[in-house]
Amino acid sequence: MLNKTVFLDKDGTLIEDVPYNVDPKYIKLAPGAIEGLRLLNELGYELIVITNQSGVARRYFQESALVGVEEHLRNLFGEFGINLSGFYYCPHHPDGVVSEFAIACDCRKPAPGMLLRAARDRNIDLHASWFIGDILNDVEAGHRAGCKTILINNGNETEWELSPLRTPDFIVSDLAEAAQAIFSVDSHSEYRGELPKESSLTEVFR
């Protein structure tokens, strides 16, 4: 039986955005995260983190530091009785300074490689799954993998390069509201937050 999953961007979506941070003492769950994650667990979704970590390619930190980041997130989830089913990261960037990681890859978002790998690893039904992120690269990655998508509009998206693949199914303010949107879709009830049409997105976020 295939699993349904909510894929979560890490920085700015799941946790407060501290650029290139791998120090657990600065890793704090974002507002609304616990409420949202609990609801998603209750709805039967696996929770998997999908994150670009170009700090490895840029030599800001060692790849091994991400082991501690994953462990800390699992502990944070566990404190609230929430299970983290997976943690996938892309260490690459074409402009990196570490030759091993300074490549164009198929896993760095907006490419869907991490989601496709997770789907193979964990027998996931991507069409029954969601991607929640705070920039349109997350939305594009989710759609390219076949998922529905939610954008958390917290000011982190600044470029607004729009296309059908980069148009989210819902726009919300935090993970708690994102989980309510998914609950509403699952229960076939009408979601209160109407998604602007693509042509009006630039007006909404101008």
Side-chain angles (χ1 to χ4, degrees):
M1 187 173 181
L2 296 177
N3 298 313
K4 61 180 185 178
T5 297
V6 172
F7 297 104
L8 300 158
D9 169 62
K10 181 170 75 70
D11 302 298
T13 299
L14 177 63
I15 66 173
E16 296 179 4
D17 190 12
V18 180
Y20 301 109
N21 175 58
V22 291
D23 187 338
K25 71 182 179 183
Y26 295 116
I27 296 176
K28 310 292 184 185
L29 290 172
I34 293 303
E35 180 183 349
L37 296 173
R38 279 176 166 163
L39 177 55
L40 293 171
N41 253 187
E42 291 171 5
L43 294 173
Y45 285 93
E46 289 194 340
L47 302 173
I48 294 179
V49 170
I50 301 289
T51 178
N52 288 349
Q53 292 296 312
S54 68
V56 177
R58 299 177 192 273
R59 199 178 280 133
Y60 294 160
F61 53 82
Q62 296 293 315
E63 185 179 9
S64 59
L66 295 170
V67 174
V69 173
E70 177 181 359
E71 181 180 2
H72 186 68
L73 285 175
R74 289 187 182 277
N75 289 338
L76 280 178
F77 277 43
E79 289 175 9
F80 297 94
I82 300 166
N83 182 56
L84 176 61
S85 296
F87 181 91
Y88 291 79
Y89 64 87
C90 170
H92 308 115
H93 196 285
D95 299 328
V97 298
V98 181
S99 58
E100 178 184 358
F101 301 110
I103 61 173
C105 62
D106 63 0
C107 56
R108 180 174 170 79
K109 297 176 292 183
M114 286 185 281
L115 289 85
L116 299 177
R117 179 182 163 199
R120 292 191 298 269
D121 290 348
R122 300 196 58 82
N123 199 32
I124 293 168
D125 182 353
L126 290 168
H127 295 290
S129 298
W130 296 76
F131 194 115
I132 304 174
D134 64 328
I135 61 174
L136 294 180
N137 277 356
D138 298 321
V139 171
E140 181 175 343
H143 279 155
R144 289 173 68 181
C147 300
K148 295 178 286 296
T149 65
I150 298 178
L151 177 73
I152 294 180
N153 180 30
N154 56 10
N156 287 341
E157 179 56 77
T158 59
E159 296 182 357
W160 297 105
E161 297 178 0
L162 301 172
S163 70
L165 283 174
R166 295 169 69 83
T167 301
D169 295 285
F170 293 99
I171 298 172
V172 300
S173 60
D174 59 23
L175 271 175
E177 190 177 350
Q180 286 294 333
I182 292 172
F183 171 76
S184 297
V185 171
D186 282 1
S187 60
H188 305 290
S189 60
E190 183 179 357
Y191 178 58
R192 293 182 180 179
E194 182 180 354
L195 174 68
K197 295 185 183 298
E198 181 182 346
S199 60
S200 67
L201 281 172
T202 53
E203 296 298 320
V204 172
F205 299 110
R206 190 172 56 184

